[in-house]
């Protein structure tokens, strides 16, 4: 897969994407990653990429001309152009799986108060948010999408890591896990995990995953959890 990024801050990407699994994915050719500086598509001597909003109001917007020129020169027939913005579709594992099937992604990161609306309506195929919080720019969100998608590409993870994604616990939080020693600072590992009874262990893990999901992330369960007390109706 080819992933390209259009950004005002290319230096933010070097480092995080030069380590570990992403580094290996790049070295093996499973991920081709390219950075582009939006300022390379400006024509004035100040390399202007922003302007004031029509109608007034605080802050600056990404002006359309450099973004249109850049995306039109970078995109190919099969490129999916994705804006990173807090108003986008909420990025999750199912969107990561969807993106991992593409051949070419172009992630466009914003800055200032956001994009001129025509970038959204006439240039982007999609708009993604990594969560409900505001960041200074879209570079970190783009890196998160790149990481989540890259680890899903065929051959990038070891077999053990890949099969975990598809395990029965899909859609639930992880069950508690322990390694040696069997007792650490007075804290024992649950007896069932030392029993060697694999049917009992699987049952315990399913139950723990369910309990933890109910307690912490009931939104992940298909059906709403049964409330302890019937909700009040007005
Ligand atoms: C577009 C519009 C993404 C991009 C406004 C980007 C959070 C996310 C930006 C902005 C971002 C996210 C400056 C508010 C850049 N912040 N949650 N910032 N802002 O994915």
């Amino acid at each position: 897969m080819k992933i390209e990024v259009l950004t005002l801050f290319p230096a933010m990407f070097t480092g995080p994407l030069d380590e570990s699994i992403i580094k290996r994915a790049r070295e093996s050719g499973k991920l081709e990653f390219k950075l582009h500086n939006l300022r390379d598509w400006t024509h004035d001597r100040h390399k202007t990429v922003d302007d004031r909003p029509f109608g007034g109001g605080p802050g600056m917007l990404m002006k359309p001309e450099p973004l249109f020129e850049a995306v039109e020169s970078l995109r190919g027939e099969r490129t999916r152009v994705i804006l990173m913005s807090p108003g986008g579709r909420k990025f999750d594992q199912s969107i990561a799986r969807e993106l991992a099937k593409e051949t070419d992604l172009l992630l466009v990161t914003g800055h200032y108060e956001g994009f001129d609306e025509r970038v959204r309506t006439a240039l982007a195929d999609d708009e993604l948010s990594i969560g409900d919080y505001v960041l200074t720019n879209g570079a970190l969100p783009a890196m998160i999408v790149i990481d989540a998608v890259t680890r899903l590409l065929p051959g990038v993870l070891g077999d053990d890591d890949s099969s975990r994604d598809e395990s029965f616990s899909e859609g639930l939080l992880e069950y508690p896990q322990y390694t040696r020693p069997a007792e650490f600072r007075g804290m024992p590992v649950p007896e069932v995990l030392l029993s060697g009874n694999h049917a009992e262990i699987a049952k315990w893990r399913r139950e723990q995953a369910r309990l933890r999901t109910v307690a912490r992330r009931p939104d992940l369960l298909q059906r709403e959890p049964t409330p302890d007390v019937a909700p009040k109706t007005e």
Side-chain angles (χ1 to χ4, degrees):
M1 164 179 269
K2 181 159 105 179
I3 304 183
E4 295 180 85
V5 172
L6 183 60
T7 176
L8 288 171
F9 306 106
M12 284 184 72
F13 290 80
T14 57
L17 300 181
D18 287 331
E19 292 289 342
S20 177
I21 292 165
I22 310 294
K23 179 186 182 152
R24 269 194 284 118
R26 295 175 70 180
E27 286 169 353
S28 70
K30 288 167 188 128
L31 172 68
E32 184 189 346
F33 176 67
K34 279 191 185 161
L35 279 167
H36 304 279
N37 192 331
L38 180 62
R39 292 199 198 273
D40 294 347
W41 282 271
T42 57
H43 302 290
D44 63 312
R45 41 186 201 96
H46 296 112
K47 300 189 186 290
T48 309
V49 294
D50 62 330
D51 205 346
R52 293 150 52 204
F54 277 121
M60 300 291 271
L61 295 174
M62 308 277 293
K63 63 197 265 88
E65 300 93 323
L67 284 163
F68 271 76
E69 278 196 40
V71 170
E72 283 167 353
S73 80
L74 293 173
R75 81 172 159 207
E77 198 80 339
R78 303 156 64 98
T79 307
R80 182 140 160 200
V81 179
I82 301 173
L83 298 187
M84 301 310 306
S85 110
R89 289 202 287 157
K90 181 88 66 78
F91 182 67
D92 63 12
Q93 193 64 24
S94 89
I95 296 178
R97 277 190 223 108
E98 187 192 302
L99 296 183
K101 295 179 194 148
E102 301 279 345
T103 57
D104 299 80
L105 300 180
L106 174 57
L107 305 181
V108 180
T109 69
H111 183 49
Y112 312 111
E113 267 44 70
F115 300 100
D116 179 286
E117 186 64 17
R118 292 161 292 193
V119 172
R120 195 166 272 122
T121 54
L123 206 56
D125 299 310
D126 206 346
E127 188 173 346
L128 295 178
S129 165
I130 60 160
D132 291 338
Y133 35 82
V134 177
L135 302 167
T136 55
N137 68 76
L140 288 166
M143 285 186 254
I144 282 165
V145 169
I146 292 164
D147 190 284
V149 170
T150 301
R151 66 182 287 288
L152 297 178
L153 300 177
V156 166
L157 290 186
D159 290 342
D160 282 15
D161 296 310
S162 335
S163 60
R164 286 182 65 76
D165 276 357
E166 334 230 326
S167 74
F168 73 90
S169 67
E170 182 66 35
L172 294 181
L173 297 183
E174 289 282 5
Y175 49 77
Q177 300 194 84
Y178 299 84
T179 184
R180 293 186 294 180
E183 183 176 327
F184 176 67
R185 298 192 177 178
M187 295 175 282
V189 171
E191 197 63 45
V192 60
L193 297 178
L194 311 175
S195 69
N197 184 335
H198 295 290
E200 278 302 310
I201 291 170
K203 191 173 136 210
W204 182 86
R205 285 176 168 169
R206 272 195 301 274
E207 181 62 1
Q208 291 293 317
R210 194 188 63 80
L211 287 171
R212 186 170 276 198
T213 308
V214 169
R216 299 186 189 175
R217 293 293 310 277
D219 59 295
L220 293 180
L221 298 168
Q222 305 212 324
R223 204 166 50 86
E224 287 293 303
T226 313
D228 288 331
V229 180
K232 241 197 220 143
T233 49
E234 296 298 321

